[in-house]
């Protein structure tokens, strides 16, 4: 049986399988943004020994220098003999948003502890869950969990005091099946016998590990965790519960369930206390999930005076507008570009990622996470780059690069523009000799995301019969939005310039909503009522939406030279 040697490990394999499939099957990290479709060009490995044929995709996605060094894409490389390889990149700890605004609310958790001469018991909605042989009081714990498409956060909570005892966060383990919900749904479609199980196992196993780490730090047994509440988008909730999500990905895009679900932790593989229960937050539609219902509740949107917009910016852009007595909402397919994915030099928000930059006449100033060597651009970094390209006129309002021949030979911008065939790209050099690029396709990816979000924003205002000037506040939630300064959001036109001084950041409102629902049955009821009151607007069915979307693609800034 042939073997593959990598990082002091030796793996055996059989059958015709891609190198990506072999390595991910052995839980070896490979940068893989497109679930092995050959479109992202990120799954680079270097062949040190063994046959290394070059695929057509390699020739498109890799430079001649990389090919000469033996670098290949793991997704299109099908080994047929012994190999020795190395992966140029190791998985680093991603920066995950775990905090957020917490409003005042009444504590009334669904679980209570009763001590008597007969013993100590835990009750869940008046149902006895566990009986102890001693009257000694024991920990009464719950877990608040936010499952994002990109990241997952888990908190362990003392249900009597409401105190957060510990938390863990990490990148969503489903990433190996695709970076966005549609790619993961496609995986289920292409793997009808195993896909649903594999996606559920990936997320449940990772949550179990997060809980295990928290409990180990605190010297607490997970046997004392009696309830978990989960906030997530509708697709992630289906995949967490092991429910087929393929109906969400095809017309008429109907989920299997929208209502809050309560079931035993054991039934889905979560390792909590005996008879512990898991509750998911309710959704509004396939594309407005429990995470957005949670955000609407956390932000007290219904009680706000005036016209207030709530927006969670991530792989999808979900927007809720409170105007009068109405809660209008919509979802925009922003795509993974705003989180650094599908970008030529894109990466997650981790050590080495450029998160901000400024283009100056003599240099490009970079702000790098961890103050280390810059390796690529995370979501805030690519937006900062586009903002600066627009400000300097290197990119015009239509999204195209300025033609070098139209610039004066003394123009400082010339040194930042490189021709690659007939295409132009912005090049950032660092002292170590590495390069970070922004290509024309990168600009287009951000432009499509910007058009999607701004058109959704505008469509809701039109539906409510109000204009930009009528907005009193814009509330920004989510992992991505928290790291974006207002000048980047408005500088690339994701949000209009008129609202720059009306922005409020509320952090991870999905996790906060899960915490509030864990600690209060009243909050759970409020969320159920909110989900029923929120009016979902299907953008594709909106009159003249295609025209609106086209108008929203235009960047702010200078016209082309």
């Amino acid at each position: 049986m042939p073997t593959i040697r990598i990082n002091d490990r030796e793996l055996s394999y059989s059958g015709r399988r891609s190198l990506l499939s072999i390595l991910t099957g052995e839980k070896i990290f490979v940068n893989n943004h497109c679930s092995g479709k050959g479109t992202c060009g990120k799954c680079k490995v270097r062949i040190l020994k063994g046959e290394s044929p070059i695929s057509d995709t390699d020739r498109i996605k890799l430079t001649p220098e990389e090919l000469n060094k033996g670098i290949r894409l793991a997704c299109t490389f099908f080994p047929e003999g012994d190999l020795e390889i190395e992966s140029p990149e190791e998985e680093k700890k991603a920066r995950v948003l775990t905090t957020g605004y917490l409003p005042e609310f009444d504590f009334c958790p669904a679980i209570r502890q009763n001590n008597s001469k007969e013993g100590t018991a835990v009750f869940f909605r008046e149902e006895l869950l566990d009986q102890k042989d001693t009257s000694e009081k024991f920990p009464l714990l719950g877990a608040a969990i936010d499952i994002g498409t990109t990241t997952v956060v888990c908190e362990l909570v003392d249900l009597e005091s409401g105190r957060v005892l510990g938390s863990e966060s990490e990148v969503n383990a489903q990433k190996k099946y695709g970076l966005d919900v549609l790619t993961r749904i496609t995986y289920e479609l292409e793997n009808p016998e195993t896909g649903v199980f594999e996606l559920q196992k990936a997320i449940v196993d990772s949550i179990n590990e997060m809980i295990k780490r928290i409990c180990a730090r605190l010297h607490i047994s997970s046997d004392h965790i009696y309830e978990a509440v989960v906030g997530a988008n509708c697709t992630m909730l289906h995949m967490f519960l092991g429910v087929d999500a393929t109906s969400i990905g095809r017309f008429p895009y109907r989920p299997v369930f929208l209502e809050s679900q309560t079931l035993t932790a054991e039934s889905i593989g979560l390792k909590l206390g005996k008879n512990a229960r898991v509750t998911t937050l309710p959704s509004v539609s396939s594309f407005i999930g429990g995470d957005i219902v949670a955000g609407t509740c956390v932000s007290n949107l219904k009680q706000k005076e005036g016209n207030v917009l709530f927006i969670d910016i991530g792989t999808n852009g979900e927007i809720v507008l409170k105007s009068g007595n109405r809660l209008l909402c919509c979802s925009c397919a922003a795509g993974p570009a705003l989180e650094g994915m599908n970008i030529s030099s894109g990466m997650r928000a981790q050590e080495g990622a450029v998160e901000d930059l400024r283009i100056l006449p003599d240099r490009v100033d970079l702000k790098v996470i961890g103050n280390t060597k810059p390796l690529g651009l995370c979501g805030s970094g690519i937006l900062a780059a586009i903002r600066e390209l627009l400000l300097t006129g290197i990119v015009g309002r239509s999204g195209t690069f300025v033609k070098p021949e139209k610039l004066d030979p003394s123009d400082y911008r010339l040194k930042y523009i490189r021709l690659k065939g007939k295409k132009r790209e912005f090049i950032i050099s660092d002292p170590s000799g590495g390069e970070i690029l922004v290509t024309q396709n990168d600009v287009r990816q951000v432009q499509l995301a910007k058009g999607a979000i701004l058109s959704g924003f505008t469509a809701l205002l039109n539906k409510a019969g109000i204009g930009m000037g009528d907005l009193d506040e814009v509330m920004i939630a989510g992992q991505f939005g928290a790291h974006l300064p207002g000048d980047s959001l408005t500088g690339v036109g994701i949000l209009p310039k008129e609202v720059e001084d009306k922005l409020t950041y509320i952090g991870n409102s999905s996790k906060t909503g899960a915490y509030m629902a864990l600690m209060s049955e009243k909050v759970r009821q409020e969320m159920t009522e909110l989900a029923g009151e929120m009016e979902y607007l299907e953008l594709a069915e909106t009159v003249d939406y295609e025209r609106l979307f086209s108008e929203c693609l235009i960047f702010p800034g200078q016209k082309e030279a």
Side-chain angles (χ1 to χ4, degrees), residues 15-310:
R16 180 171 170 78
R17 298 165 59 197
S18 72
L19 183 56
L20 177 64
S21 173
I22 295 169
L23 296 178
T24 54
E26 294 290 335
K27 297 184 178 180
I28 294 174
F29 172 73
V30 182
N31 218 343
N32 170 30
H33 295 178
C34 66
S35 191
K37 302 299 183 185
T39 58
C40 72
K42 301 289 186 182
C43 59
K44 299 176 184 178
V45 294
R46 186 182 178 198
I47 311 300
L48 301 177
K49 291 181 182 179
E51 294 294 323
S52 55
I54 300 173
S55 70
D56 291 340
T57 306
D58 289 336
R59 297 185 190 281
I60 295 170
K61 296 294 183 179
L62 303 176
T63 66
E65 292 78 12
E66 288 175 321
L67 293 174
N68 289 335
K69 289 179 181 178
I71 292 175
R72 303 290 184 266
L73 296 179
C75 66
T76 59
F77 187 90
F78 289 80
E80 296 182 353
D82 293 343
L83 289 176
E84 183 176 344
I85 65 175
E86 69 175 11
S87 178
E89 184 175 350
E90 294 182 355
E91 187 167 28
K92 297 181 175 67
K93 180 72 173 178
R95 182 175 64 180
V96 181
L97 180 66
T98 61
T99 59
Y101 165 73
L102 177 66
E104 291 185 3
F105 69 100
D106 295 330
F107 282 7
C108 51
I111 295 178
R112 62 185 177 85
Q113 186 167 240
N114 180 48
N115 293 284
S116 67
K117 293 179 181 180
E118 289 74 28
T120 304
V122 173
F123 291 84
F124 187 101
R125 295 192 178 90
E126 305 308 318
E127 178 182 352
L128 184 64
L129 287 181
D130 196 11
Q131 182 73 41
K132 301 292 179 180
D133 295 329
T134 173
S135 60
E136 181 182 353
K137 198 171 185 180
F138 56 90
L140 196 61
L141 307 176
I145 302 169
D146 164 46
I147 304 176
T149 307
T150 305
T151 57
V152 182
V153 178
C154 178
E155 284 185 343
L156 195 60
V157 182
D158 182 327
L159 290 174
E160 294 187 299
S161 68
R163 187 164 65 95
V164 175
L165 303 176
S167 67
E168 280 282 328
S169 60
E170 59 184 39
V171 173
N172 191 319
Q174 295 172 335
K175 64 183 183 295
K176 62 184 177 182
Y177 302 108
L179 287 181
D180 55 58
V181 294
L182 291 179
T183 310
R184 292 175 198 171
I185 289 173
T186 300
Y187 185 84
E188 287 190 357
L189 280 167
E190 294 175 346
N191 299 272
E193 295 183 1
T194 61
V196 172
F197 170 77
E198 289 175 305
L199 284 158
Q200 183 194 33
K201 188 175 189 304
I203 192 63
V204 170
D205 285 354
S206 67
I207 291 173
N208 280 333
E209 283 299 312
M210 293 165 74
I211 290 173
K212 183 179 178 180
R213 292 197 296 267
I214 299 172
C215 290
R217 285 201 307 270
L218 298 171
H219 305 290
I220 296 175
S221 171
S222 61
D223 291 344
H224 296 307
I225 303 174
Y226 292 96
E227 186 173 24
V229 175
V230 179
N233 67 49
C234 194
T235 302
M236 289 297 98
L237 289 175
H238 279 59
M239 292 179 175
F240 169 67
L241 296 182
V243 177
D244 190 326
T246 53
S247 64
I248 298 176
R250 57 192 176 197
F251 186 80
Y253 314 112
R254 289 176 181 165
V256 175
F257 66 89
L258 290 173
E259 301 80 9
S260 173
Q261 305 290 304
T262 297
L263 62 165
T264 65
E266 183 181 20
S267 68
I268 59 171
L270 271 187
K271 297 176 181 178
L272 307 181
K274 182 181 178 182
N275 297 328
R277 298 195 183 186
V278 177
T279 297
T280 63
L281 301 183
S283 299
V284 175
S285 72
S286 290
F287 306 114
I288 297 290
D291 52 347
I292 304 307
V293 174
T296 304
C297 180
V298 169
S299 62
N300 289 319
L301 199 61
K302 186 178 177 181
Q303 286 74 39
K304 289 277 185 179
E305 296 291 334
N307 300 307
V308 182
L309 198 84
F310 169 92

Side-chain angles (χ1 to χ4, degrees), residues 338 354-360 364-367 377-397 399 401 412-413 426 428 438 442-443 446-447 450 480 483-495 497 500 505 555-558:
L338 296 184
V354 175
E355 60 179 340
D356 200 1
L357 62 86
R358 299 285 172 178
I359 299 176
L360 303 174
V364 178
D365 277 348
L366 303 179
K367 182 182 178 183
L377 299 163
C378 64
S380 57
I382 185 62
L383 272 198
I386 303 298
R387 177 198 68 210
E388 292 296 295
L389 291 173
L390 293 167
L391 282 172
T392 57
I394 295 175
V395 168
R397 296 183 66 197
F401 277 85
Y412 76 91
R413 294 175 293 177
F426 170 59
I428 305 169
V438 178
D442 296 337
V443 176
V446 173
Q447 191 170 22
K450 164 253 194 298
F480 178 66
H483 299 294
L484 281 182
D487 64 346
S488 284
L489 285 167
T490 60
V492 301
I494 288 178
L495 298 179
K497 192 71 176 176
E500 188 171 335
Y505 295 86
F555 282 120
Q558 305 176 32

